[in-house]
Short mmCIF file of all heavy atoms in Angstrom, two decimals:
data_model
loop_
_atom_site.label_atom_id
_atom_site.label_comp_id
_atom_site.label_asym_id
_atom_site.label_seq_id
_atom_site.Cartn_x
_atom_site.Cartn_y
_atom_site.Cartn_z
N LEU A 224 76.91 136.30 131.83
CA LEU A 224 76.60 136.39 133.26
C LEU A 224 75.53 135.38 133.65
O LEU A 224 75.58 134.78 134.70
CB LEU A 224 76.12 137.80 133.62
CG LEU A 224 77.20 138.88 133.65
CD1 LEU A 224 76.58 140.25 133.84
CD2 LEU A 224 78.19 138.60 134.78
N GLN A 225 74.53 135.19 132.74
CA GLN A 225 73.48 134.22 133.02
C GLN A 225 74.03 132.80 133.13
O GLN A 225 73.66 132.02 133.98
CB GLN A 225 72.40 134.27 131.93
CG GLN A 225 71.46 135.47 132.13
CD GLN A 225 70.42 135.53 131.03
OE1 GLN A 225 70.52 134.81 130.04
NE2 GLN A 225 69.43 136.37 131.18
N HIS A 226 74.97 132.50 132.23
CA HIS A 226 75.57 131.16 132.25
C HIS A 226 76.33 130.92 133.55
O HIS A 226 76.28 129.88 134.13
CB HIS A 226 76.51 130.99 131.05
CG HIS A 226 75.76 130.84 129.75
ND1 HIS A 226 74.82 129.86 129.53
CD2 HIS A 226 75.82 131.58 128.59
CE1 HIS A 226 74.33 129.98 128.30
NE2 HIS A 226 74.91 131.03 127.71
N VAL A 227 77.01 131.97 134.01
CA VAL A 227 77.76 131.85 135.26
C VAL A 227 76.80 131.64 136.43
O VAL A 227 77.06 130.86 137.33
CB VAL A 227 78.62 133.13 135.50
CG1 VAL A 227 79.26 133.08 136.88
CG2 VAL A 227 79.70 133.23 134.43
N GLY A 228 75.64 132.32 136.40
CA GLY A 228 74.67 132.25 137.48
C GLY A 228 74.04 130.88 137.63
O GLY A 228 73.51 130.56 138.68
N HIS A 229 74.07 130.07 136.59
CA HIS A 229 73.44 128.76 136.67
C HIS A 229 74.29 127.72 137.38
O HIS A 229 73.88 126.60 137.59
CB HIS A 229 73.10 128.24 135.26
CG HIS A 229 71.88 128.92 134.69
ND1 HIS A 229 71.94 129.81 133.64
CD2 HIS A 229 70.59 128.85 135.05
CE1 HIS A 229 70.74 130.26 133.36
NE2 HIS A 229 69.88 129.69 134.21
N LYS A 230 75.52 128.10 137.73
CA LYS A 230 76.38 127.15 138.43
C LYS A 230 75.80 126.85 139.81
O LYS A 230 75.30 127.74 140.47
CB LYS A 230 77.79 127.73 138.60
CG LYS A 230 78.57 127.74 137.29
CD LYS A 230 79.98 128.26 137.53
CE LYS A 230 80.76 128.25 136.23
NZ LYS A 230 82.13 128.77 136.41
N LYS A 231 75.87 125.64 140.24
CA LYS A 231 75.31 125.21 141.52
C LYS A 231 76.34 125.38 142.65
O LYS A 231 77.49 125.03 142.48
CB LYS A 231 74.85 123.76 141.47
CG LYS A 231 73.64 123.54 140.57
CD LYS A 231 73.22 122.10 140.60
CE LYS A 231 72.01 121.87 139.69
NZ LYS A 231 71.60 120.47 139.68
N ILE A 232 75.87 125.93 143.76
CA ILE A 232 76.73 126.05 144.94
C ILE A 232 76.18 125.09 145.98
O ILE A 232 75.00 125.13 146.33
CB ILE A 232 76.71 127.49 145.48
CG1 ILE A 232 77.24 128.44 144.40
CG2 ILE A 232 77.55 127.61 146.75
CD1 ILE A 232 77.08 129.89 144.74
N GLU A 233 77.00 124.26 146.49
CA GLU A 233 76.56 123.26 147.45
C GLU A 233 77.16 123.52 148.83
O GLU A 233 78.32 123.91 148.94
CB GLU A 233 76.96 121.84 146.98
CG GLU A 233 76.24 121.42 145.71
CD GLU A 233 76.62 120.01 145.29
OE1 GLU A 233 77.42 119.40 146.02
OE2 GLU A 233 76.12 119.55 144.27
N PHE A 234 76.34 123.31 149.84
CA PHE A 234 76.80 123.41 151.23
C PHE A 234 76.68 122.04 151.88
O PHE A 234 75.60 121.44 151.85
CB PHE A 234 75.96 124.43 152.03
CG PHE A 234 76.14 125.84 151.59
CD1 PHE A 234 75.27 126.42 150.68
CD2 PHE A 234 77.19 126.60 152.09
CE1 PHE A 234 75.46 127.72 150.28
CE2 PHE A 234 77.37 127.91 151.69
CZ PHE A 234 76.51 128.48 150.78
N HIS A 235 77.73 121.58 152.44
CA HIS A 235 77.69 120.29 153.13
C HIS A 235 77.54 120.54 154.63
O HIS A 235 78.51 120.84 155.32
CB HIS A 235 78.97 119.51 152.83
CG HIS A 235 79.11 119.16 151.38
ND1 HIS A 235 78.43 118.13 150.78
CD2 HIS A 235 79.84 119.75 150.40
CE1 HIS A 235 78.72 118.08 149.49
NE2 HIS A 235 79.59 119.06 149.24
N ILE A 236 76.28 120.47 155.11
CA ILE A 236 76.00 120.72 156.53
C ILE A 236 75.61 119.41 157.19
O ILE A 236 74.78 118.66 156.66
CB ILE A 236 74.86 121.74 156.69
CG1 ILE A 236 75.25 123.05 156.02
CG2 ILE A 236 74.50 121.97 158.16
CD1 ILE A 236 74.12 124.04 155.89
N SER A 237 76.19 119.19 158.34
CA SER A 237 75.89 117.96 159.07
C SER A 237 74.43 117.96 159.53
O SER A 237 73.92 118.98 160.00
CB SER A 237 76.82 117.85 160.29
OG SER A 237 76.44 116.74 161.05
N THR A 238 73.76 116.86 159.37
CA THR A 238 72.35 116.76 159.78
C THR A 238 72.19 116.49 161.26
O THR A 238 71.09 116.51 161.80
CB THR A 238 71.63 115.65 158.99
OG1 THR A 238 72.34 114.45 159.17
CG2 THR A 238 71.53 116.00 157.53
N GLU A 239 73.28 116.22 161.93
CA GLU A 239 73.21 115.93 163.35
C GLU A 239 72.97 117.20 164.15
O GLU A 239 73.64 118.20 163.97
CB GLU A 239 74.53 115.29 163.82
CG GLU A 239 74.74 113.90 163.25
CD GLU A 239 76.05 113.30 163.74
OE1 GLU A 239 76.66 113.91 164.64
OE2 GLU A 239 76.43 112.25 163.24
N ILE A 240 71.95 117.19 165.01
CA ILE A 240 71.64 118.34 165.87
C ILE A 240 72.43 118.20 167.16
O ILE A 240 72.44 117.13 167.76
CB ILE A 240 70.13 118.38 166.19
CG1 ILE A 240 69.33 118.53 164.88
CG2 ILE A 240 69.81 119.54 167.14
CD1 ILE A 240 67.86 118.34 165.05
N PRO A 241 73.13 119.25 167.56
CA PRO A 241 73.90 119.17 168.82
C PRO A 241 73.01 118.71 169.97
O PRO A 241 71.83 119.06 170.03
CB PRO A 241 74.37 120.61 169.05
CG PRO A 241 74.35 121.23 167.69
CD PRO A 241 73.24 120.58 166.95
N ALA A 242 73.56 117.96 170.88
CA ALA A 242 72.81 117.39 172.01
C ALA A 242 72.16 118.46 172.86
O ALA A 242 71.06 118.29 173.37
CB ALA A 242 73.75 116.55 172.87
N VAL A 243 72.81 119.61 172.98
CA VAL A 243 72.28 120.70 173.81
C VAL A 243 70.97 121.21 173.28
O VAL A 243 70.03 121.50 174.01
CB VAL A 243 73.31 121.87 173.86
CG1 VAL A 243 72.75 123.03 174.66
CG2 VAL A 243 74.61 121.42 174.45
N LEU A 244 70.89 121.30 171.92
CA LEU A 244 69.67 121.84 171.32
C LEU A 244 68.56 120.82 171.24
O LEU A 244 67.42 121.15 170.97
CB LEU A 244 69.98 122.38 169.92
CG LEU A 244 70.93 123.59 169.88
CD1 LEU A 244 71.25 123.95 168.45
CD2 LEU A 244 70.32 124.77 170.60
N GLN A 245 68.85 119.55 171.44
CA GLN A 245 67.82 118.52 171.37
C GLN A 245 66.97 118.47 172.62
O GLN A 245 65.94 117.84 172.66
CB GLN A 245 68.48 117.14 171.17
CG GLN A 245 69.04 116.96 169.75
CD GLN A 245 69.72 115.63 169.58
OE1 GLN A 245 69.72 114.82 170.50
NE2 GLN A 245 70.29 115.39 168.42
N ILE A 246 67.37 119.21 173.67
CA ILE A 246 66.65 119.16 174.94
C ILE A 246 65.23 119.68 174.80
O ILE A 246 64.29 119.12 175.28
CB ILE A 246 67.40 119.97 176.02
CG1 ILE A 246 68.74 119.29 176.32
CG2 ILE A 246 66.59 120.09 177.30
CD1 ILE A 246 69.68 120.11 177.17
N ASN A 247 65.08 120.79 174.07
CA ASN A 247 63.76 121.40 173.95
C ASN A 247 63.52 121.92 172.54
O ASN A 247 63.55 123.11 172.29
CB ASN A 247 63.64 122.55 174.96
CG ASN A 247 62.19 123.01 175.12
OD1 ASN A 247 61.29 122.49 174.47
ND2 ASN A 247 61.98 124.00 175.96
N PRO A 248 63.31 121.01 171.56
CA PRO A 248 63.12 121.42 170.17
C PRO A 248 61.90 122.29 169.96
O PRO A 248 61.86 123.13 169.08
CB PRO A 248 63.00 120.09 169.42
CG PRO A 248 62.58 119.09 170.45
CD PRO A 248 63.17 119.54 171.73
N GLU A 249 60.83 122.10 170.79
CA GLU A 249 59.61 122.90 170.63
C GLU A 249 59.90 124.38 170.85
O GLU A 249 59.35 125.24 170.23
CB GLU A 249 58.55 122.42 171.62
CG GLU A 249 58.01 121.06 171.27
CD GLU A 249 56.98 120.60 172.28
OE1 GLU A 249 56.58 121.41 173.13
OE2 GLU A 249 56.56 119.44 172.21
N LYS A 250 60.75 124.64 171.80
CA LYS A 250 61.08 126.03 172.15
C LYS A 250 61.75 126.72 170.97
O LYS A 250 61.55 127.89 170.71
CB LYS A 250 62.01 126.04 173.37
CG LYS A 250 62.24 127.41 173.92
CD LYS A 250 61.93 127.45 175.38
CE LYS A 250 61.95 128.89 175.88
NZ LYS A 250 61.43 129.06 177.18
N GLU A 251 62.57 125.94 170.20
CA GLU A 251 63.25 126.51 169.05
C GLU A 251 62.24 126.96 168.01
O GLU A 251 62.35 128.02 167.43
CB GLU A 251 64.20 125.50 168.44
CG GLU A 251 65.43 125.19 169.31
CD GLU A 251 66.27 124.10 168.72
OE1 GLU A 251 66.34 124.03 167.48
OE2 GLU A 251 66.84 123.30 169.47
N GLU A 252 61.21 126.13 167.78
CA GLU A 252 60.21 126.48 166.77
C GLU A 252 59.39 127.67 167.23
O GLU A 252 59.01 128.51 166.44
CB GLU A 252 59.29 125.28 166.56
CG GLU A 252 59.96 124.15 165.77
CD GLU A 252 59.02 122.99 165.54
OE1 GLU A 252 57.80 123.22 165.47
OE2 GLU A 252 59.52 121.87 165.44
N LYS A 253 59.14 127.74 168.53
CA LYS A 253 58.34 128.84 169.07
C LYS A 253 59.03 130.17 168.87
O LYS A 253 58.46 131.17 168.54
CB LYS A 253 58.13 128.61 170.57
CG LYS A 253 56.68 128.59 170.97
CD LYS A 253 56.57 128.44 172.45
CE LYS A 253 55.41 127.52 172.78
NZ LYS A 253 55.29 127.31 174.20
N ASN A 254 60.34 130.18 169.09
CA ASN A 254 61.10 131.42 169.01
C ASN A 254 61.45 131.82 167.58
O ASN A 254 62.07 132.82 167.34
CB ASN A 254 62.41 131.30 169.82
CG ASN A 254 62.12 131.20 171.30
OD1 ASN A 254 61.05 131.59 171.73
ND2 ASN A 254 63.06 130.67 172.06
N GLY A 255 61.06 130.98 166.62
CA GLY A 255 61.36 131.28 165.22
C GLY A 255 62.24 130.19 164.63
O GLY A 255 62.86 129.42 165.33
N LYS A 256 62.28 130.15 163.30
CA LYS A 256 63.03 129.09 162.63
C LYS A 256 64.54 129.31 162.75
O LYS A 256 65.31 128.39 162.82
CB LYS A 256 62.62 129.02 161.16
CG LYS A 256 61.19 128.51 160.98
CD LYS A 256 60.80 128.47 159.53
CE LYS A 256 59.36 128.00 159.37
NZ LYS A 256 58.93 127.98 157.98
N ARG A 257 64.94 130.59 162.72
CA ARG A 257 66.37 130.85 162.77
C ARG A 257 66.83 130.92 164.22
O ARG A 257 66.47 131.82 164.93
CB ARG A 257 66.68 132.17 162.07
CG ARG A 257 66.40 132.11 160.57
CD ARG A 257 66.80 133.40 159.89
NE ARG A 257 66.45 133.37 158.48
CZ ARG A 257 66.70 134.35 157.63
NH1 ARG A 257 67.29 135.45 158.04
NH2 ARG A 257 66.35 134.26 156.36
N VAL A 258 67.61 129.96 164.63
CA VAL A 258 68.13 129.89 165.99
C VAL A 258 69.63 129.75 165.90
O VAL A 258 70.15 129.06 165.04
CB VAL A 258 67.54 128.68 166.75
CG1 VAL A 258 68.11 128.61 168.16
CG2 VAL A 258 66.03 128.77 166.79
N TYR A 259 70.36 130.44 166.78
CA TYR A 259 71.81 130.31 166.78
C TYR A 259 72.17 128.88 167.20
O TYR A 259 71.91 128.47 168.34
CB TYR A 259 72.44 131.33 167.76
CG TYR A 259 72.23 132.75 167.31
CD1 TYR A 259 71.27 133.55 167.92
CD2 TYR A 259 72.96 133.28 166.25
CE1 TYR A 259 71.05 134.85 167.49
CE2 TYR A 259 72.76 134.59 165.83
CZ TYR A 259 71.81 135.37 166.45
OH TYR A 259 71.60 136.65 166.03
N LEU A 260 72.79 128.16 166.27
CA LEU A 260 73.06 126.74 166.50
C LEU A 260 74.04 126.50 167.64
O LEU A 260 74.02 125.46 168.26
CB LEU A 260 73.61 126.10 165.21
CG LEU A 260 72.62 126.05 164.04
CD1 LEU A 260 73.31 125.53 162.79
CD2 LEU A 260 71.42 125.18 164.37
N TYR A 261 74.90 127.47 167.91
CA TYR A 261 75.92 127.26 168.92
C TYR A 261 75.51 127.80 170.30
O TYR A 261 76.29 127.80 171.23
CB TYR A 261 77.24 127.91 168.47
CG TYR A 261 77.79 127.26 167.23
CD1 TYR A 261 77.65 127.90 166.00
CD2 TYR A 261 78.40 126.02 167.27
CE1 TYR A 261 78.12 127.31 164.84
CE2 TYR A 261 78.88 125.42 166.12
CZ TYR A 261 78.75 126.07 164.90
OH TYR A 261 79.21 125.47 163.75
N ALA A 262 74.28 128.29 170.39
CA ALA A 262 73.81 128.78 171.69
C ALA A 262 73.41 127.60 172.56
O ALA A 262 72.89 126.61 172.07
CB ALA A 262 72.61 129.71 171.51
N THR A 263 73.61 127.74 173.85
CA THR A 263 73.21 126.68 174.78
C THR A 263 71.75 126.85 175.13
O THR A 263 71.17 127.92 174.91
CB THR A 263 74.04 126.74 176.07
OG1 THR A 263 73.77 127.97 176.70
CG2 THR A 263 75.52 126.61 175.80
N THR A 264 71.15 125.82 175.72
CA THR A 264 69.75 125.90 176.11
C THR A 264 69.53 127.02 177.11
O THR A 264 68.53 127.73 177.07
CB THR A 264 69.30 124.56 176.76
OG1 THR A 264 69.64 123.51 175.88
CG2 THR A 264 67.81 124.56 177.03
N GLU A 265 70.46 127.17 178.03
CA GLU A 265 70.34 128.20 179.07
C GLU A 265 70.32 129.59 178.44
O GLU A 265 69.55 130.46 178.82
CB GLU A 265 71.51 128.09 180.04
CG GLU A 265 71.37 129.01 181.25
CD GLU A 265 72.52 128.82 182.23
OE1 GLU A 265 73.28 127.86 182.07
OE2 GLU A 265 72.62 129.67 183.12
N GLU A 266 71.16 129.80 177.39
CA GLU A 266 71.20 131.10 176.71
C GLU A 266 69.90 131.38 175.99
O GLU A 266 69.41 132.49 175.97
CB GLU A 266 72.39 131.13 175.73
CG GLU A 266 73.73 131.28 176.44
CD GLU A 266 74.89 131.09 175.47
OE1 GLU A 266 74.67 130.50 174.38
OE2 GLU A 266 75.99 131.52 175.79
#
């Protein structure tokens, strides 16, 4: 089981931030690190 656990899992996530969320990045940090990426600024 230990040997199986050492396998690496990789996630390929795009580094590009959606244009909608780039409007107010400070607000995202204020509200916490975890922000719904698909939410609009208005939401």
Side-chain angles (χ1 to χ4, degrees):
L224 287 172
Q225 282 179 349
H226 287 303
V227 173
H229 284 111
K230 287 183 179 179
K231 292 182 180 179
I232 299 171
E233 294 181 1
F234 292 95
H235 296 282
I236 300 170
S237 174
T238 55
E239 291 180 10
I240 299 170
V243 178
L244 295 175
Q245 287 178 4
I246 294 170
N247 193 0
E249 290 179 9
K250 188 127 189 169
E251 290 175 34
E252 287 181 29
K253 236 184 219 178
N254 292 340
K256 291 179 182 178
R257 294 183 183 181
V258 179
Y259 294 104
L260 294 174
Y261 297 102
T263 63
T264 307
E265 188 177 349
E266 286 171 341

